[in-house]
Structure formats: structure tokens, C-alpha cells
Amino acid sequence: MKLQIINGPNLNLIGRREKSIYGVLSFDDYLDYLLNKYPQLTIDYFQSNIEGEIIDKIQEVGYSYDGIILNAAAYTHTSVGIADAIRAIEKSVIEVHISNTKSREDYRHKSFISPHVNGIIQGFGLLSYELAIISFLNNIKGE
Ligand code: DQA
């Protein structure tokens, strides 16, 4: 099974950024943990601070990989372009967030992405990504 993790803006700073919200572990260290724990999977990782690059990656893998685990970060709350890219592709997308966006500022309550994904996992810290992997392993696609 081939899965693509896509992280949006400022998620390259996980471990250094607002540690009380996002924790102290870097995403690279967490990715090592995932790769060691799920050696039977191909888990590719892409991070960008640029909206168009995230759209390009969704288009690139969206017809060939088995699924996408997408944390669009701040673009979650603003991006019609990312929402349209998800609508365009054939593969399952799980939206993840490290924090519980519903318990934070009002502007984080709106997700342009949520209506078009197969499932949403948020508020479990970095474990949110592993829960998304488990959903793919169990063939839970939210359909
Ligand atoms: C986030 C939540 C977003 O509101 C925020 O802009 C982020 C990270 C999360 O994973 O909790 O950058 O997507």
C-alpha cells in the first residue's frame, strides 16, 4: 500500500513551533517512528509552505497512490484550490490535524476541505497521522 502524507505551511516547524499545542517532537522524528512501525507500507512525505505546491502534489499522487493523509494546516481554513484538487482526484483523502481546531479560534472552525474528504482525525497530537494510517490499513474509507 502506498500512502502520501502531505503537510502544509509551518508544519516543518513542528517540535519548535507553539510546543504547548503541537508538541516537542519534530515531524522528521515522528516520520521515522511511522516508517519503522509500518515497514510493509510505502509512506512518502511531502511538506510545503506554498499552496500551489500542495495542489501539485495532490494531483501527482491522486490517481496512483492508495491514499493521502493531508494536513493542509492554515490552508484548511482558506483554500478553495486545495478543496478542488481533492474533488478532482480518485483516491481517498483523510484530513488530519494535530490540534482540535474546533476548540480553538473561530477562524479555525471552518474547513474548506472537510466536505470532500473520506474522514477527519484531529486533536490527537501526532497520533492523528497514525490513526489515519490505521484507517487505511482497515480499509475504512468513510464511503
Ligand atoms: C493545524 C491546525 C491549523 O488551524 C493550523 O493553522 C496549523 C496546524 C493542526 O494540525 O492542528 O498550522 O492544521
Side-chain angles (χ1 to χ4, degrees), residues 2 11-12 18 31 36 47 57 69 73-74 80 82 87 90 95 100 106 112 121 135:
K2 282 179 82 168
L11 292 174
N12 53 316
E18 296 181 276
L31 187 63
N36 283 322
Q47 189 277 330
K57 182 56 75 174
I69 297 166
V80 175
I82 292 175
R87 293 174 64 155
E90 293 168 349
E95 175 182 352
N100 176 3
D106 284 352
F112 282 86
I121 301 169
S135 78

Side-chain angles (χ1 to χ4, degrees), residues 62-88:
Y63 296 91
S64 53
Y65 279 51
D66 296 295
I68 298 174
I69 297 166
L70 173 63
N71 186 347
Y75 290 139
T76 304
H77 317 300
T78 62
S79 180
V80 175
I82 292 175
D84 280 351
I86 295 167
R87 293 174 64 155

Side-chain angles (χ1 to χ4, degrees), residues 58-117:
I58 292 169
Q59 292 183 7
E60 181 191 321
V61 302
Y63 296 91
S64 53
Y65 279 51
D66 296 295
I68 298 174
I69 297 166
L70 173 63
N71 186 347
Y75 290 139
T76 304
H77 317 300
T78 62
S79 180
V80 175
I82 292 175
D84 280 351
I86 295 167
R87 293 174 64 155
I89 62 168
E90 293 168 349
K91 299 301 180 180
S92 299
V93 178
I94 305 294
E95 175 182 352
V96 303
H97 298 284
I98 298 165
S99 64
N100 176 3
T101 58
K102 305 297 184 204
S103 69
R104 299 180 64 192
E105 299 93 333
D106 284 352
Y107 61 83
R108 296 184 203 277
H109 295 182
K110 167 81 182 167
S111 169
F112 282 86
I113 289 167
S114 294
H116 312 297
V117 296

